[in-house]
């Protein structure tokens, strides 16, 4: 179709043709405007989809962080329980060691009585000296036993430093 109107057409038809051509131009411009908006909308949709995917990834990471935080809280509670149990066991160990030391002393006393029985006819001065010697031997054995312990060996460097600084 050409944009020129033939002269032989009646005026009313010419006016209608002109009006239709003007509408066609307006519709064409509107179609182009809508196509442009559609392309922009598609770009925005792609951008929003990309943002949505990023947010989904962040939510997945956060859910992992939340799970780890819950695990950390559970572990912290377990640590508190373990520490309380450790303290209880340490107290029990101290009591057991004290009882062991009492039993060792009783055993040493019994061994001394069995091995170093004082004769009945010995003079009083000699039995006092003998008792002092037995007590010194008992204390020497006890000191040797103490020095043989792990704690005595572990704390040896601390005692050496204390002696040097005193």
């Amino acid at each position: 179709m050409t944009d020129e109107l033939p002269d032989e057409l009646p005026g009313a038809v010419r006016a209608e043709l002109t009006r239709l051509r003007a509408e066609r131009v307006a519709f064409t411009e509107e179609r182009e405007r809508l196509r442009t908006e559609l392309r922009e909308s598609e770009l925005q949709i792609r951008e929003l989809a990309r943002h949505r995917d990023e947010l989904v990834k962040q939510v997945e990471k956060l859910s992992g962080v939340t799970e780890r935080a819950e695990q950390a809280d559970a572990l912290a509670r377990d640590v508190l329980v373990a520490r309380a149990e450790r303290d209880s066991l340490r107290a029990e160990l101290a009591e057991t060691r004290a009882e062991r030391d009492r039993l060792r002393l009783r055993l040493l006393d019994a061994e001394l009585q069995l091995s170093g029985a004082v004769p009945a006819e010995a003079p009083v001065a000699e039995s006092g000296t003998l008792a002092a010697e037995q007590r010194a031997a008992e204390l020497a054995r006890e000191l040797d036993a103490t020095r043989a312990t792990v704690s005595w060996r572990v704390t040896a460097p601390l005692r050496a430093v204390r002696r040097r600084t005193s």
Side-chain angles (χ1 to χ4, degrees):
M1 263 189 178
T2 62
D3 285 340
E4 293 182 19
L5 295 176
D7 289 335
E8 63 267 357
L9 290 177
V13 172
R14 283 176 123 203
E16 186 62 23
L17 255 170
T18 302
R19 187 186 63 76
L20 288 173
R21 284 182 181 165
E23 281 182 11
R24 184 183 71 185
V25 169
F27 285 140
T28 303
E29 289 175 359
E30 181 67 13
R31 183 184 67 196
E32 289 304 314
R33 186 187 65 77
L34 290 174
R35 283 183 179 170
T36 302
E37 284 183 15
L38 181 63
R39 282 190 295 269
E40 290 173 358
S41 296
E42 287 174 349
L43 288 175
Q44 289 175 350
I45 288 172
R46 284 189 208 122
E47 184 75 16
L48 288 173
R50 188 177 58 79
H51 284 298
R52 181 202 62 210
D53 294 342
E54 288 176 8
L55 288 174
V56 166
K57 288 178 184 176
Q58 289 176 357
V59 166
E60 289 172 355
K61 287 180 184 177
L62 288 177
S63 67
V65 169
T66 303
E67 291 172 7
R68 287 191 179 120
E70 290 171 357
Q71 290 173 350
D73 289 341
L75 289 174
R77 287 189 298 274
D78 290 347
V79 166
L80 290 176
V81 168
R83 284 181 179 164
E85 187 176 337
R86 177 200 63 196
D87 293 342
S88 170
L89 290 173
R90 281 182 177 170
E92 187 177 338
L93 178 62
E95 291 173 9
T96 304
R97 284 180 176 167
E99 179 65 22
R100 177 202 64 196
D101 293 343
R102 281 192 297 278
L103 290 174
R104 278 184 179 171
L105 288 176
R106 287 182 57 202
L107 179 63
L108 287 173
D109 288 342
E111 287 176 354
L112 286 175
Q113 288 177 357
L114 288 174
S115 66
V118 178
E121 60 271 352
V124 176
E126 284 185 19
S127 66
T129 306
L130 184 59
E133 288 174 357
Q134 288 176 347
R135 181 69 179 146
E138 175 187 340
L139 290 174
R141 283 193 299 272
E142 189 175 328
L143 182 59
D144 289 339
T146 300
R147 288 184 175 158
T149 63
V150 173
S151 63
W152 183 265
R153 289 181 296 207
V154 168
T155 58
L158 297 172
R159 287 191 305 280
V161 169
R162 183 182 292 160
R163 272 185 248 123
R164 289 182 190 147
T165 58
S166 296

